Amino acid sequence: TVDESELLTVPDGWKEPAFTREDNPKGLLEESSFATLFPKYREAYLKECWPLVQKALGEHYVNATLDLIEGSMTVTTTKKTFDPYAIIRARDLIKLLARSVPFEQAVRILQDDVACDIIKIGSLVRKRDTFIKRRGRLLGPKGSTLKALELLTNCYIMVQGNTVSALGPFSGLKEVRKVVLDTMKNIHPIYNIKTLMIKRELSKDPELRTQSWERFLPKFKRKNLKKRKEPKKKNTKKEYTPFPPPQPESQIDKELASGEYFLKERQKKRKRVEEIKAKQADAIKKRQEERNKAFIPPKEKPVVKTKKGN
């Protein structure tokens, strides 16, 4: 009897055997090709390193052509090509070269245990200024955040323009994609880096490999959430009525209601003068009270006499 958990785990140091000509002695039936465009600023570098690209792809029997007039790179299979996946790796190689990845790193894609991922980040943020800030956050001060991410995921990461190119093992590429997308969603990469560091330490313990790591991983909460400013005057919708609103009272209607309309002009004038004088008296009283506050002495604390020892 064999334990099922042992069947699900890959033994340490195990590698899949390499694909040889013996596995496919007759080769490929059809010719396959891929082409990609490259920007103008990459022309000088590609022209310089193209013999090395041809040599690396020649070992897998794949032809590579560089068209400087159209600004494109093309890879095609030959009659000697026996590995059907070699053309896919060659396609990824020219894609990485077009995305400013140096040849020394891009040529690693031809290895069996290395894959690549090109993450498009240009359309994830609307504002250009916000996009530049978040992309800079991914790099960190003097590239320290990117370097820490490379060490934790064992991947080579290249941030260029509107894309992020990653090169490394499949497990590392998955983590890189998550961190990049979270950074574009305004989640700081330091939180994901802390989680990766904890996962790295937990993976060293053979007992914890089969257990859930939720209890060990930190849970970060947003603390500086800005509340939406509420307007001072809230407009509330009134219930609909088919009748028009009542007519506002005119000045004559108000005078008729208070009886002021029937007073003589002299009496009206005297009443207005009395109201003005009453307002002035209240204002003078308040002003005097404010002035007198400065002359009120503050309450002093009582002095506590301390008994001196003999």
Side-chain angles (χ1 to χ4, degrees), residues 5 29 32 46-47 53 61 91 135 142 146 158 163 211 215 239 255 266 292 304:
S5 61
L29 295 172
S32 302
L46 290 171
K47 198 175 178 181
V53 175
Y61 304 102
R91 178 202 65 183
R135 189 179 63 182
K142 296 180 182 178
L146 196 69
M158 181 74 184
T163 57
Q211 296 178 16
R215 56 200 171 106
E239 290 183 9
E255 286 179 2
R266 195 185 296 170
N292 291 338
V304 180

Side-chain angles (χ1 to χ4, degrees), residues 218-255:
K219 292 176 183 178
F220 301 104
K221 292 180 182 179
R222 289 190 180 185
K223 293 180 181 179
N224 57 343
L225 283 172
K226 291 181 180 178
K227 289 182 180 178
R228 188 184 172 190
K229 289 182 180 179
E230 293 182 358
K232 289 181 181 178
K233 292 180 181 178
K234 289 183 179 179
N235 296 326
T236 53
K237 285 187 176 181
K238 295 177 182 177
E239 290 183 9
Y240 173 74
T241 54
F243 307 105
Q247 190 95 5
E249 287 187 348
S250 64
Q251 191 66 28
I252 296 167
D253 292 337
K254 288 176 183 177
E255 286 179 2

